[in-house]
DNA sequence: TACAATTCGTTATTAATTTCACGATTTATT
DNA sequence: AATAAATCGTGAAATTAATAACGAATTGTA
C-alpha cells in the first residue's frame, strides 16, 4: 500500500478549492491542464496526484467536477470540520477573528484566548474571547484540533505548552521563533519577515 | 559553478535570524547541532547548507557567530534593504502595517494603498495610505521591490497588474486565489485556510 | 466502420533534496 | 608524544519529487 506524499496533499487541497469554485460557476467538467492552470501546477502533476486516489477521470473528457471534488475530500478531509483555537487577540489575532475563511462549513474558529483582562469576555465576529486560565478546560470541551499562536515571541512557548496540554495536535505559529513540542504535535511556522526575505532572494537570482 | 538551492536559501534565512539572536545574547560561538535545534533542522543539514558558502567553521569548536552571520548575509541579502508596498488596508492590512517586523533595518514598509476613500491619507505606524491611482507612480519613486496583496480575492488580479506595471519583482499574495503575472515576477501565495487543512491532514496521518 | 483527436493513467527517467558514512582538523588530556 | 573527543566538511547513497514518454480509452467524424 503506497502512502500519499505531503506535497500531493497540499496540492490536492488547492484542487479541492478550485473545484468548489468551478462548481459554483456550474462547470461540471474540467481537464487536468485547466486545473493545472488554476492551481499553478502542470497537467502531468495534476494527473499524477489524482491517480493516487484511483481512476476518476474520463479519457477524452477530463474529470467530473463534483466527483473529483468528492473523491479528494473523502480521502483528505472526510466529513471532518476543523476546529481552531486562537491565542492572542492583538493586531494579527483580531484580523484572524474577522477572517471569513475561518468560519466556513469546513473550518470553525471556536475559541479565542488572551492574557489581557481588557480583551477578555468580548466577542468578535461571534467568537468569545476567554482568559487563558480557562483554555485547557475549554479546548478539551469544544474538541479543537488546531491552535494558532498569535502572541509575542516571548510568550509563544508558554502558549505552545498550553496547547499541548489541551490535546491540540497541530499548531500554526505566527511568532517569529520556534517552539518546542512533543513530536506527535505538528507545528507549522508562518514567518512574514522570512517570507519577504525569501521572495526578495528569489528575485535576485 | 554550483548554484544555491532555494531550500538552502530559506534555511539560511532562519540561520541568520538565529545568529542575530545569539549575538544579542553575546554568544560568540555556535555548533551546527545547536543551530539545528534552534532552527528545526539537523546538524548535517546545517553543515551541508553552510558548506555552500565556503569553509567558515572551525573543527572541534563550531562556527563563530558573527562571522557566520556575515558570510550568510553577504551572500543572501548583501546590504540591501527590502522595500515593501502594501495593497489593502483592511483587517489584515492594518495588522501588517502595525507589525514591527516590517519596520526594521533590513525591511521597510514604505507605502500602503487602498481603494476606499475613507482610509486614504491617514497614517498608520508612520506609513501613509495613498489612493490606488497614485500607486504606480509612487512605487517607482520609492523603488519598492516587493508587494503585498491584502485585498479581497475579487480585486487581487487588478492589484497584481498594478504591481507588475510598477516594476515590483516579488509579490506575497494573501488572497485565496492565484494571480497571473509575467514569469519574471515571483509570487508566493500564503493561504491561511489551506495551511489549516494541510496541518489537519498532517495530524491525521 | 475506420481514423483522427483528445485526454487520462502509468511506467520510466531525471532531478532535487536529505541522510549517511567517514575522513580531516583541532584541542584537551594523560 | 600519543590518544581521545568533538566538530567540521564532503562524496556517496538513499529518498522524495518532478518530468517525460507513451499506451489506453473515448468520442467525433469522414
Ligand atoms: N501584526 C502582524 O501583521 C504580524 C504578522 C506576522 C507575525 N506576527 C506575529 O504574531 C504575533 C502577534 O502579533 P500582533 O501584532 O497581533 O501583536 P500584539 O502585541 O498586537 O498582540 C499580542 C496579543 O497577545 C496577547 N498575549 C500575550 N501573551 C499571551 C498569552 N500567554 N496568552 C494569550 N494571549 C497572550 C496580548 O495580550 C496581546 O493581545 C507576534 O509574535 C508577531 O510577531 C504579527
Ligand atoms: N483577515 C485575515 O486574517 C486574513 C487572513 C488570511 C487571508 N486574508 C485575505 O486577505 C485579504 C484581505 O483580508 P481582510 O480581512 O483584510 O479584508 P478587508 O475586507 O478587511 O480589507 C480589504 C481592503 O482592501 C481594500 N481594497 C479593495 N480593493 C482594492 C484595490 N483594488 N486596491 C486597493 N485596496 C483595495 C478595501 O478597501 C479594504 O480596505 C482577503 O483576500 C482575505 O481573504 C485575510
Amino acid at each position: 500500500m503506497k502512502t500519499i506524499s505531503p506535497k500531493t496533499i497540499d496540492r490536492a487541497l488547492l484542487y479541492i478549492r478550485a473545484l468548489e469554485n468551478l462548481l459554483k460557476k456550474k462547470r461540471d467538467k474540467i481537464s487536468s491542464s485547466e486545473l493545472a492552470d488554476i492551481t499553478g501546477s502542470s497537467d502531468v502533476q495534476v494527473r499524477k496526484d489524482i491517480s493516487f486516489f484511483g481512476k476518476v477521470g474520463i479519457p477524452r473528457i477530463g474529470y467530473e467536477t463534483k466527483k473529483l471534488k468528492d473523491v479528494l475530500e473523502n480521502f483528505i478531509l472526510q466529513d471532518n470540520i476543523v476546529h481552531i483555537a486562537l491565542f492572542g487577540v492583538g493586531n494579527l489575532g483580531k484580523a484572524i477573528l474577522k477572517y471569513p475563511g475561518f468560519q466556513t462549513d469546513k473550518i470553525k474558529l471556536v475559541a479565542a484566548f488572551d492574557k489581557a483582562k481588557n480583551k477578555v469576555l468580548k466577542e468578535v465576529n461571534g467568537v468569545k474571547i476567554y482568559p487563558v486560565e480557562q483554555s485547557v478546560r475549554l479546548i478539551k470541551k469544544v474538541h479543537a484540533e488546531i491552535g494558532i499562536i498569535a502572541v509575542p515571541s516571548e510568550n509563544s512557548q508558554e502558549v505552545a505548552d498550553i496547547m499541548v496540554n489541551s490535546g491540540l495536535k497541530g499548531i500554526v505559529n505566527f511568532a517569529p521563533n520556534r517552539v518546542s513540542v512533543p513530536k506527535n504535535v505538528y507545528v507549522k511556522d508562518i514567518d512574514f519577515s522570512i517570507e519577504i526575505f525569501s521572495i526578495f532572494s528569489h528575485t535576485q537570482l
Side-chain angles (χ1 to χ4, degrees), chain A residues 2-19:
Chain A
K2 267 228 328 292
T3 65
I4 190 167
S5 107
K7 298 278 179 96
T8 295
I9 293 185
D10 285 353
R11 282 188 299 263
L13 292 167
L14 294 176
Y15 303 155
I16 291 173
R17 198 180 47 203
L19 293 165

Side-chain angles (χ1 to χ4, degrees), chain A residues 61-74:
Chain A
I61 303 292
Y63 300 92
E64 246 187 87
T65 319
K66 175 96 176 51
K67 183 177 176 195
L68 180 54
K69 169 174 165 283
D70 288 348
V71 167
L72 297 179
E73 275 189 351
N74 251 304

